[in-house]
Amino acid sequence: MKLILLGAPGAGKGTVAKLLTAIDGSVQISTGDILRGAVQAGTELGKEAEGYMKRGDLVPDSLIMGIMENRLQEPDCEKGFLLDGFPRTIPQAEALKELLAKLGITLDMAVDIEVPRDVILDRLCTRRTCENADCQAIYNVKSNPTRQEGICDKCGSRVIQREDETEEAISHRLETYNEKTSPLIGFYEKEGLLISIEALNSDAVVNGVKEKLGL
Ligand code: AMP
């Protein structure tokens, strides 16, 4: 499947993407994970992106399009991909449309995951992430804690609260989402690709997607 996952930070895009990869081997492509990996590795990309990310601002479109142009041409994308956290602005969506046309790739749909703001806020404040750049498993202190406190179940690395998950950065990220990313819902509606799923748990979103794709 070739999907875009839309939705505010904390809507569950990453969790849904991980569940969908298990269905047909499509790969999850999270620009946030790629950028955090680059920051940790201290690459040029990471150095450029770090300040924006800490503040909860978007990284410039040109940097993101450079990442995506390369990533979408890697062989593992042939089975399908789940775009998680990209596109995030109208210029990114337009550039993606051009890039996909150039590569001869057709999207199945853009899935908007709708979750109420109070649920999002609560989730983001209680979310914890594995600090190992190759893992980045997501936990929640209330609903999905690690078996051993502070230690990732999957790889044994430390599980931390992300620097952009302080209350201040979270509210800034949500403002940025409303201003810059939510217009993508109208964009994909016009493209005839949008489906909206209102759901509080990721399994319900996955079932909605399967139903729409006839899986
Ligand atoms: P995420 O893990 O998707 O919430 O992304 C974490 C941070 O990475 C965001 O707050 C942005 O600073 C940056 N980022 C991730 N994806 C994008 C994107 N498509 N465009 C611009 N910035 C992004």
Side-chain angles (χ1 to χ4, degrees), residues 1 6-7 13 18 21 45 55 64 103 125 137 143 147 186 192 204:
M1 59 185 99
L6 296 172
K13 299 184 294 294
K18 286 190 175 70
T21 58
L45 170 68
R55 290 190 296 276
I64 298 289
L103 300 176
C125 293
S143 60
R147 282 194 294 271

Side-chain angles (χ1 to χ4, degrees), residues 31-32 35-36 53 57-59 64 85 88 92 162 173:
T31 40
L35 290 168
R36 277 185 291 279
M53 295 174 75
D57 282 330
L58 293 181
V59 168
I64 298 289
R88 261 269 240 290
Q92 287 182 19
R162 277 167 43 179
R173 281 165 69 203

